[in-house]
């Protein structure tokens, strides 16, 4: 089946950052064709965005409700098949629910929902729908992140003992939301973002990355959650001590007030036999460290890598792939999975390797647990889902 | 004008590396729609490639001659508009000539032609055609390469004195062409590649990068050209001393036998007032060095960059863009230029900033001059075009 | 006064790591002459060590008690002036007390004593003695660490908000103390090391570095202290959330079970206006980061640095100085201070910039507080001295 | 034999850079005691320098001639044994000759002499004298440079094919010699420096490093030698194509006008089986690259290194040693060799591993050949000694 999947988009109109990223991610490998959208809660802005994107006018909708209504009336071979939802957090659940119930697959930006309760509901809806959901935890799309996961799964590092994961940003080191920065405004607004700011926006990425690579689950946490910039309504900084289900311990920090930092997600993991390190600023390198022999530099595109790393790479070693390709890997694996299902084939393990509803529920649980811990005098709180 | 440009491709069938790269570069920003192709000199392979790409069967052609013939018979609003030529060097000139004469714009892989003589002819043809040609010197598509060019053009480094440019690869450190490696076979075959191996394949990139960033032209060169691997028919290694038209001197080296190296193109340039350094392995960083104050680290996506760097970036600082985005910048700028022309608008300087026929002729001159120098007992030879 | 100060050493016999480092640090700048020592609690080993070092036989003593007794009987112009104590922690207090009371200056390895109580006593003794004490917190001897301190003191980063300091090692990832590793044995033995393992050995360094550079003091901490390797008697891993006296928060971690890590002490500090980063593996670089202009790379030996950085450097930029020079800076500044006092001159601020009794007491307080926190169910404990 | 060798110094008075470096190098390991000196051609400055260094007044001499005369009259057990010569190039040969003929061992700064002819004479003198000479090519003193040499000697990289060595500096990018910079003045003055500027000062280091690590000898060269800064009397920049005796080729460049560069000597070497890279800015790392497995990071102080690397290291992995330790390794190995001879023992291979008269003659030959090539129209000239 070589035809493109028909994609619709909710949110991501003119000026939005992440909408454009989703579109590139969808286009880069040629698996999707954007056929419709409701790009903004402002109907005119939606229309203009759709025109700019070259869509047929009658498939640019004034609202997501209208989108679902009208698309369902189209013949099956024209009707949209996959819905990308790239709105702020408070507008994730409703369209995702409608999409799944309407028979569409869903790609959803993280964090999955506005609350853990919504996440639990969505899980049920997804399971009943028979449709698939992909949650865009971008960093797990990097080939060298996948290689790290494989190395640990194969036992190369031995039993994992220590995890350090960090996500430093500096762009919110002033009260940007007071000066009309749109990205800042919704992310720091409890009505749109939920109970968490930095912890929801980037803390969930760090959390997901740690659980994804190690294959472990957090069982306890002890958090210091701060609102550093005066006047801000949500947390912009947090540091969290972690315990994992195998007894390992860890540190997670995420901050948006580290003046001068960009977006250098970084993780270090140590087991009984060795350690590894990956960071987004040098995304095509995975450093593996050994106690008694030289460290090794594994590089994207190399012949010695696992099938998972190779599957998520487009170019030979030395041709750096980056954030957009990592994002595109999620879209691609999701498409390969859906196409396999449409062809009544079993998707490969490599295709199935995208974050979904389970990761979404755990991410929302992270948010609720970490904020609760930040507000608690109790040292350790159990991670409850 | 928001519709996509209709793209056709010559070469780049199943298994080809660079064809896939061209397709991603065309897709990533949504400016092109692949409508036809002659993907292989083997008609059946062309057909299978076209099907895999989801093309209409009647627009997958058995040869590039057929492609031009048939497409010209189509109504103007269906007919292909831009032709990508991604064949080995000996198959650049003929299809490019037919394309330009047939009224199509051309995107052409480098080096531009098989010989300098062909290049000169193509220049004439292009000028007469009124059509545009884009030559895919990828490295000039990187935002921080563009920033480097702007810094020098603005005089920040003062008069340029020294240029070091290098392109080390290791993948040909054995006689790969003897073991059926397709990429190796044509690149080391004089009948397909021309008079140069490494110098044509990667030396031209280094040469182009140096002239592009500095805005200078090479006037003399003194080359040591080697065939290191026994049994190889073309050069696989070369080091070249350079003189530029402002009196600066330089060193260029390109090699394919540096065992263990990937593709880390790197350039360092020094002027009276300061220096700069860029390398593909850390492509989103430009280091600017000063004699008496701290070095500065300029980063893709930052607000302080030039309009040229910003125009060629899709994401905020800290979201690494890479090789495919650099490649896509060429396709994007070419599309913006063509669309402006179709709209009877003047393309912006940023859109016009793609390599073309002039760079192609100089690149072919580099090949002929550097091989001549390598064979000559004369120390310095004049760079003639 | 150009003569060398007469130095005696307690501990540091054959095979000891840190004794040799102290001797190099003393020799490198020519301010000290080693004249006597009690190098081991084993009298014969002490004698052999002294001979190997070329000392006069009658000034190699069987015990530190004998050293003090005999040296005090020597004429003043032959008698030792400065005592270096490089024994395990449980043998710091007694010789330091005897030295200060006997009229000798003291250089003492960290942590200062076996317990906080001893530290408080030693402070009193030092104050009464009129003699000086230098505590070898090596990392504050690096020129770029001093530059970082100056930048913050001058307000370049604005009010400090966040501190991340880390000290990962991997050499104790197995039960080394069970296989006769001498360095491991005493460090993991409560009878020699005190109540802390990793926290005392390297956690104190990280703590000192954070307080030194920021000029702030820790007021609260929340620690996760672990003994990861089975059979070990003391902690080998710890992560600590911190609060500082200006309201800033931080994370400190120190571990000795991070398999494959060497000794890369690293600190990142963020203020309202910018951030900075230093790490021992690239010790001659200080990166300063700004929200809206390029990061800057400050380098040891450069003309633009503060008097403190310059004073602690021996070579021009680009000639890397390292751990031994950082260590030697402590010895040198201590010598310059003592020589100034001997000459009845006021030592310069640069000379006085070495860690001493105050840092020693705070370091011991860190150990007791962090271990208490690790054992407590209370989330935050007050840092008490 | 644990006593210190008695060291005398010629040159290196107040304000000299390299004199202080030599003294630190001599002191750091405790093998030498500075007993006398003629620190300046200005007798009063020599006296003041000697006093500052705490020497006995009667052993601070007004000239090197006086030094030799007076020292030879001293009883053998007081007389100086090793002479360090740290004067500008035109004052190397005479004192070295007097020293060797006078029965003293010699440590000599590079380049060895003022001319190749002097170098040849000195070789003869040294051979007749039965005394030893150490030439301070600092960079070969680094442990990871020694490791690189061992790896190649053991055949790990296979037959060597390509060598890139570079030495970029920026401190002479203006006419510093016109503004009283003493370091600049003599280095750019043909009467003191000889026929070469940058090529003699730093080009010889690069040349020596390449021959030392590879174990190969240069047989042909093709040089572009430039005086970039107007008004300068000697070369300040050069790039050289090389041929080695096994058929390998290479590129050497050394420049002092690369504005913003410090002193980052760097070498890359590629053989049939793999490659390696070392640079002074990250001196404790040796990267070894393989065509089909991960690159390896070898680090100073690690247990897996050769006896040569280990012998030249003082601290465990992760405690960076630098330029002064590399320099000190030359002094130390020279001392160990002399002490072995004094004890009628055979020096170990590790002790004998210091640059000497042979390297000095080849270095002077490099200067004369490279300057001749720079002035010649001939493409390749034979490297003659």
């Amino acid at each position: 089946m070589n035809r493109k999947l028909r994609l619709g988009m909710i949110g991501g109109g003119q000026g939005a950052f992440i909408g454009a990223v989703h579109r590139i991610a969808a286009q880069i490998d040629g698996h999707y064709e954007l056929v419709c959208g409701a790009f903004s809660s402002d109907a005119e802005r939606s229309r203009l965005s759709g025109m700019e994107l070259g869509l047929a006018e009658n498939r640019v909708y004034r609202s997501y409700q209208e989108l679902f209504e009208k698309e369902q009336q189209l013949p099956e071979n024209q009707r949209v098949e996959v819905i990308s939802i790239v709105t702020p957090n408070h507008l994730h659940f409703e369209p995702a629910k409608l999409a799944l119930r309407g028979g569409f697959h869903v790609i959803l930006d993280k964090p999955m929902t506005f609350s853990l309760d919504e996440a639990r509901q969505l899980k049920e809806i997804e399971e009943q729908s028979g449709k698939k959901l992909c949650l865009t935890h971008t960093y797990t799309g990097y080939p060298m992140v996948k290689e790290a996961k494989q190395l640990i799964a194969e036992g190369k590092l031995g039993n994992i003992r220590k995890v350090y994961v960090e996500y430093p940003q500096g762009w919110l080191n002033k009260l940007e939301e007071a000066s009309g920065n749109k990205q800042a405004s919704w992310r720091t607004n409890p009505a749109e973002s939920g109970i968490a700011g930095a912890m929801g926006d980037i803390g969930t990425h760090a959390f997901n990355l740690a659980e994804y690579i190690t294959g472990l689950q957090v069982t306890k946490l002890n958090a210091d959650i701060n609102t550093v910039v005066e006047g801000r309504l949500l947390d912009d900084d947090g540091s969290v001590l972690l315990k994992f289900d195998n007894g390992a311990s860890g540190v997670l920090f995420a901050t948006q007030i580290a003046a001068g930092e960009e977006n250098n997600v970084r993780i270090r993991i140590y087991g009984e036999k060795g350690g590894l390190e990956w960071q987004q600023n040098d995304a095509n390198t995975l450093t593996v460290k050994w106690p008694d022999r030289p460290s090794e530099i594994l590089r994207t595109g190399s012949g010695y890598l696992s099938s998972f790393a190779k599957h998520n790479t487009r170019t030979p070693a030395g041709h750096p792939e980056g954030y957009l390709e990592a994002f595109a890997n999620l879209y691609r694996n999701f498409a390969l999975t859906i196409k396999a299902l449409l062809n009544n084939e079993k998707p490969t393990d490599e295709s199935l390797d995208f974050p979904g509803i389970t990761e979404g529920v755990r991410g929302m649980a992270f948010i609720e647990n970490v904020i609760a811990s930040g507000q608690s005098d109790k040292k350790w709180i159990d991670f409850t889902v």
Side-chain angles (χ1 to χ4, degrees), chain A:
Chain A
M1 199 207 92
N2 293 318
R3 70 165 180 83
K4 298 186 177 190
L5 295 170
R6 292 181 296 275
L7 182 71
M9 183 167 275
I10 293 171
Q14 291 169 327
F17 150 58
I18 206 68
V21 167
H22 276 258
R23 282 190 292 271
I24 291 174
Q27 280 160 191
I28 196 167
D29 296 307
H31 286 296
Y32 299 88
E33 178 185 15
L34 185 66
V35 297
C36 69
F39 298 102
S40 172
S41 49
D42 172 338
E44 177 60 9
R45 219 172 127 253
S46 179
R47 196 183 63 83
L48 290 170
S49 301
M51 283 181 59
E52 199 177 288
L53 292 165
L55 290 192
E57 222 166 315
N58 64 336
R59 294 184 79 178
V60 183
Y61 301 102
R62 281 168 299 181
S63 70
Y64 66 83
Q65 292 88 345
E66 190 194 33
L67 182 149
F68 291 119
E69 195 185 321
K70 295 280 177 61
E71 288 288 325
Q72 267 150 341
Q73 296 164 11
L74 292 177
E76 206 181 336
N77 68 350
Q78 291 173 35
R79 194 189 305 155
V80 69
E81 300 170 282
V82 182
I83 301 289
S84 266
I85 301 172
V86 298
T87 45
N89 308 346
H90 69 306
L91 288 171
H92 284 186
F93 176 70
E94 272 300 312
K97 183 179 73 177
L98 290 178
L100 290 169
R101 290 196 173 154
F104 304 109
H105 301 287
V106 170
I107 296 172
L108 189 50
D109 214 294
K110 43 49 62 188
M112 192 163 74
T113 49
F114 191 70
S115 67
L116 175 56
D117 184 58
E118 280 184 2
R120 287 193 207 102
Q121 290 181 50
L122 195 62
K123 184 165 195 280
E124 237 173 86
I125 294 166
E126 195 245 21
E127 284 162 4
Q128 289 161 2
S129 73
K131 295 295 159 186
K132 294 285 172 190
L133 184 145
C134 172
L135 188 74
T136 53
H137 272 307
T138 328
Y139 305 106
T140 63
Y142 276 107
M144 299 318 278
V145 166
K146 297 194 178 291
E147 187 68 16
K149 183 183 178 62
Q150 294 310 311
L151 285 175
I152 288 174
E154 290 165 12
K156 294 279 170 63
L157 305 191
N159 189 29
I160 298 306
R161 292 166 158 183
K162 199 84 207 179
V163 178
Y164 301 109
V165 62
E166 61 185 55
Y167 199 144
Q169 289 186 335
W171 69 292
L172 289 179
N173 82 313
K174 290 186 186 153
L175 198 66
E176 294 293 330
E177 56 270 46
S179 44
N181 177 326
K182 208 183 143 180
Q183 298 300 324
S185 296
W186 78 257
R187 280 184 174 80
T188 59
N189 179 359
E192 296 182 84
S193 204
I195 61 169
M199 287 300 103
D201 192 25
I202 60 174
T204 47
H205 274 310
F207 171 80
N208 176 254
L209 189 62
E211 290 203 341
Y212 176 75
I213 297 181
T214 60
L216 301 175
Q217 290 202 330
V218 169
T219 55
K220 286 177 193 293
L221 47 75
N222 169 358
D224 177 27
I225 305 296
N226 303 296
T227 301
V228 173
V229 174
E230 215 174 328
R232 184 155 289 154
L233 300 179
L234 290 172
D235 61 284
D236 49 20
D237 172 84
S239 305
V240 193
L241 305 178
L242 304 170
K243 299 287 181 188
F244 291 88
D245 52 1
N246 76 333
S249 62
V251 182
L252 176 156
F253 78 74
T255 187
Q256 298 181 310
I257 56 89
E261 291 295 339
E262 295 176 346
N263 205 50
N264 191 20
V265 194
R266 183 178 179 225
I267 189 162
R268 289 172 281 179
I269 301 171
Y270 302 94
E272 284 173 320
K273 299 183 195 164
L276 62 77
E277 177 169 355
W278 178 85
Q279 59 184 314
Q280 192 184 219
N281 270 7
D282 188 15
N284 295 297
T285 294
L286 176 67
T287 306
V288 188
K289 304 176 182 191
W290 307 107
D292 36 31
R293 57 184 210 267
S295 291
E296 291 173 303
I297 302 296
L298 279 62
R299 297 270 303 156
T300 304
S302 299
Y304 49 72
L305 297 176
S306 68
S307 65
F308 287 83
K310 285 179 178 166
H311 171 76
N312 288 283
T313 309
R314 292 152 190 83
T315 50
H319 298 77
E321 300 196 20
Y323 175 83
L324 293 169
E325 286 79 14
F327 215 114
N329 287 336
L330 307 185
Y331 267 83
R332 193 166 74 107
N333 290 334
F334 196 57
L336 293 174
T337 293
I338 293 173
K339 288 182 175 185
L341 297 176
L342 289 172
N343 290 344
N344 289 315
E345 292 163 2
K346 197 173 135 41
T348 64
D349 287 349
E350 288 81 0
S351 301
L352 285 168
D353 178 23
F354 58 84
I357 199 85
T358 309
E359 288 78 7
V361 174
R362 285 195 68 78
M364 291 312 300
F366 171 74
I367 291 175
E368 303 219 344
N369 282 287
V370 87
I371 296 298
S373 174
Q375 291 164 349
S376 166
D377 285 339
K378 223 179 135 194
K379 190 168 180 178
W380 292 98
I381 75 162
D382 290 332
F383 189 94
T384 52
V385 183

